[in-house]
Amino acid sequence: MDKDHYDELETRSAAQREAQLMAGLPGQVHHAQRNTAAFAEILAGVDALQVSSRAALARLPVTRKGDLQARQRAQQPADPFGGFSALVRGAGMPRIYASPGPIYEPEGSTRDYWRIGRAMYAAGFRAGDLVHNAFSYHMTPGAFLMESGAHAIGCSVFPAGVGQTEQQLQAIRELRPVAYAGTPSFLRILVEKAQEAGSDIASLRKGLVGGEALPTSLRDWFQERGLAVYQSYATADLGLIAYETSSREGLVVDEGVLVEIVRPGTGDPVAAGEVGEVVVTTMNPAYPLIRFGTGDLSAELPGADPTGRTNMRIRGWLGRADQTTKIRGMFVHPGQVAEIVRRFPEILRARLVVSGEMANDRMTLQVETAGAPAGLDARIGEAVRDVTKLRADVELVAPGTLPNDGKVIEDARSYR
């Protein structure tokens, strides 16, 4: 570590990083095929040696959390991980966690298994700091993610967990931690309760938060009270995906993952800057998830971070990609809209808008197209009926008309 960066990986050239990622990708795909039953099936027939470019990676199927959960349910109790883990129980798998669902996740034995130390360092955490860790230590891995990262840097950790606010304030007052890890909402509760009780928690000067969005207004509220709070984007299955730096310009992607932004309901990468679903390939051999769909929406930011970190940047959390909607008793999902779009090369982008009131729904497929041939709207309407079994109006609009918010299905109905 130098003063400003966690390691030299953060400042290598973009070309060098891409070359190293692509050099390691075939081996990771091959490892997943050979050492996990799930990817042996999902990637059956794939020549791993040929998966050495982003274009080749984009041809592989996306595995989403629902797929993971379904495989876990089907294979219990024989394999609670659904065939995705390359670990075996014992010293190499010190803990197993249960996230809501439940979804079971293994922990590997490597130092800073989830790679959170990088995010903590960017947030100003340093060796010798005492970290007040207010993530739950019960079943879920959030607290252990943060603890492993803190230990990697050389911090001490107070395992506060959640709840028992008065006792937590007492511990902060007496132990004088300088850093906080947890959700932003609980940090606000601690600060407000301390103000009400006249409890001195001024030792807290910095924080790394996750599990929830951190609105700019709340970040500014913390700053006004002497707390520099940064956000992390991590999941139990993937570990750290991206993290905030002192530039406050989006989130920098972690060095241990490969991130794509794809059109919701598909595995097709979108143009740079367009909002889509975050899909992650992790280089973790213990849990080698290939093209794992997070269900979160974001978009790539241009350029490198002003702090000197050169990896891809994303805008942060912009909503959820699963926009499945029930219309006239039928479920319509983004994949069906994508299927309609694939049938017509004239379509640039599409958005299905559901309006009216419940039980009196109206569907309108808004389609961006340039120089549409006569009768295109009628043919698209027939495709909508074929794919969804429902009728829809088709509205042809000029390129660039639809908002760049990642929405493929917009539910604009009145629920009053």
Side-chain angles (χ1 to χ4, degrees):
M1 303 179 193
D2 63 31
K3 180 181 177 181
D4 298 317
H5 303 105
Y6 188 68
D7 57 28
E8 68 281 357
L9 295 178
E10 294 181 352
T11 56
R12 55 184 164 165
S13 71
Q16 183 182 17
R17 176 182 294 105
E18 189 71 5
Q20 291 173 343
L21 280 173
M22 292 305 109
L25 186 57
Q28 182 72 339
V29 172
H30 180 65
H31 170 73
Q33 289 173 313
R34 288 197 60 182
N35 294 287
T36 72
F39 281 109
E41 181 180 336
I42 294 169
L43 302 179
V46 172
D47 181 355
L49 293 177
Q50 300 302 313
V51 187
S52 58
S53 67
R54 287 184 180 265
L57 180 65
R59 289 193 285 270
L60 303 184
V62 173
T63 297
R64 293 187 165 83
K65 197 172 286 285
D67 303 321
L68 188 154
Q69 186 174 23
R71 284 178 179 267
Q72 288 194 1
R73 296 279 77 75
Q75 297 183 37
Q76 289 175 359
D79 183 356
F81 305 114
F84 285 95
S85 174
L87 298 173
V88 295
R89 293 181 186 177
M93 188 192 295
R95 295 187 185 93
I96 296 173
Y97 303 96
S99 292
I103 294 177
Y104 297 104
E105 294 112 355
E107 177 186 353
S109 59
T110 55
R111 176 179 177 270
D112 195 12
Y113 173 72
W114 293 279
R115 310 175 312 281
I116 303 296
R118 187 178 303 283
M120 287 187 151
Y121 198 83
F125 289 49
R126 294 295 183 268
D129 287 351
L130 175 59
V131 179
H132 187 90
N133 189 3
F135 274 109
S136 173
Y137 278 83
H138 177 66
M139 291 194 182
T140 58
F144 297 91
L145 268 77
M146 292 294 180
E147 185 168 294
S148 67
H151 288 164
I153 292 175
C155 301
S156 298
V157 174
F158 178 72
V162 296
Q164 300 178 305
T165 306
E166 291 182 3
Q167 290 177 270
Q168 295 216 26
L169 291 177
Q170 179 182 353
I172 295 171
R173 185 173 64 249
E174 296 176 351
L175 292 175
R176 311 301 290 170
V178 298
Y180 168 91
T183 62
S185 59
F186 189 65
L187 178 57
R188 178 160 191 161
I189 289 172
L190 288 176
V191 173
E192 290 178 335
K193 292 293 185 183
Q195 290 173 337
E196 292 172 7
S199 184
D200 178 15
I201 63 169
S203 64
L204 286 178
R205 311 303 297 170
K206 51 199 170 188
L208 182 69
V209 298
E212 302 169 348
L214 176 64
T216 301
S217 58
L218 182 55
R219 187 182 69 192
D220 293 344
W221 187 88
F222 288 132
Q223 190 69 50
E224 291 166 2
R225 288 153 181 81
L227 271 161
V229 178
Y230 295 82
Q231 55 186 323
S232 62
Y233 175 25
T235 71
D237 10 63
L238 296 163
L240 183 66
I241 299 172
Y243 58 97
E244 194 172 21
T245 75
S246 59
S247 74
R248 304 292 194 181
E249 294 184 8
L251 305 179
V252 177
V253 169
D254 177 56
E255 298 295 330
V257 295
L258 192 159
V259 168
E260 303 169 271
I261 308 293
V262 309
R263 197 170 309 286
T266 77
D268 304 330
V270 300
E274 186 175 338
V275 176
E277 182 184 5
V278 177
V279 170
V280 180
T281 296
T282 174
M283 308 310 284
N284 176 9
Y287 204 39
L289 297 175
I290 309 297
R291 299 205 87 201
F292 189 73
T294 64
D296 297 322
L297 293 176
S298 193
E300 182 178 358
L301 284 173
D305 193 77
T307 63
R309 294 170 174 87
T310 56
N311 207 347
M312 171 186 180
R313 297 185 302 163
I314 59 176
R315 285 174 55 188
W317 188 80
L318 300 177
R320 293 293 293 170
D322 184 5
Q323 300 154 25
T324 299
T325 305
K326 198 170 189 178
I327 307 169
R328 302 175 209 157
M330 301 281 287
F331 282 105
V332 178
H333 55 82
Q336 291 174 300
V337 178
E339 170 60 26
I340 295 164
V341 171
R342 275 193 288 267
R343 296 186 181 190
F344 300 92
E346 300 93 342
I347 298 179
L348 304 177
R349 293 172 65 204
R351 182 187 189 98
L352 185 66
V353 180
V354 190
S355 57
E357 298 178 354
M358 294 297 286
N360 188 27
D361 305 325
R362 178 184 176 186
M363 289 197 335
T364 302
L365 185 66
Q366 298 177 333
V367 173
E368 285 188 4
T369 182
L376 178 63
D377 52 349
R379 291 190 289 118
I380 294 174
E382 292 172 2
V384 173
R385 289 195 297 275
D386 180 45
V387 172
T388 69
K389 313 307 176 189
L390 297 167
R391 292 181 178 274
D393 296 326
V394 176
E395 180 183 348
L396 305 181
V397 299
T401 301
L402 301 181
N404 179 25
D405 57 8
K407 284 188 179 180
V408 175
I409 301 176
E410 178 185 356
D411 192 344
R413 289 174 290 192
S414 170
Y415 289 88
R416 292 180 297 177

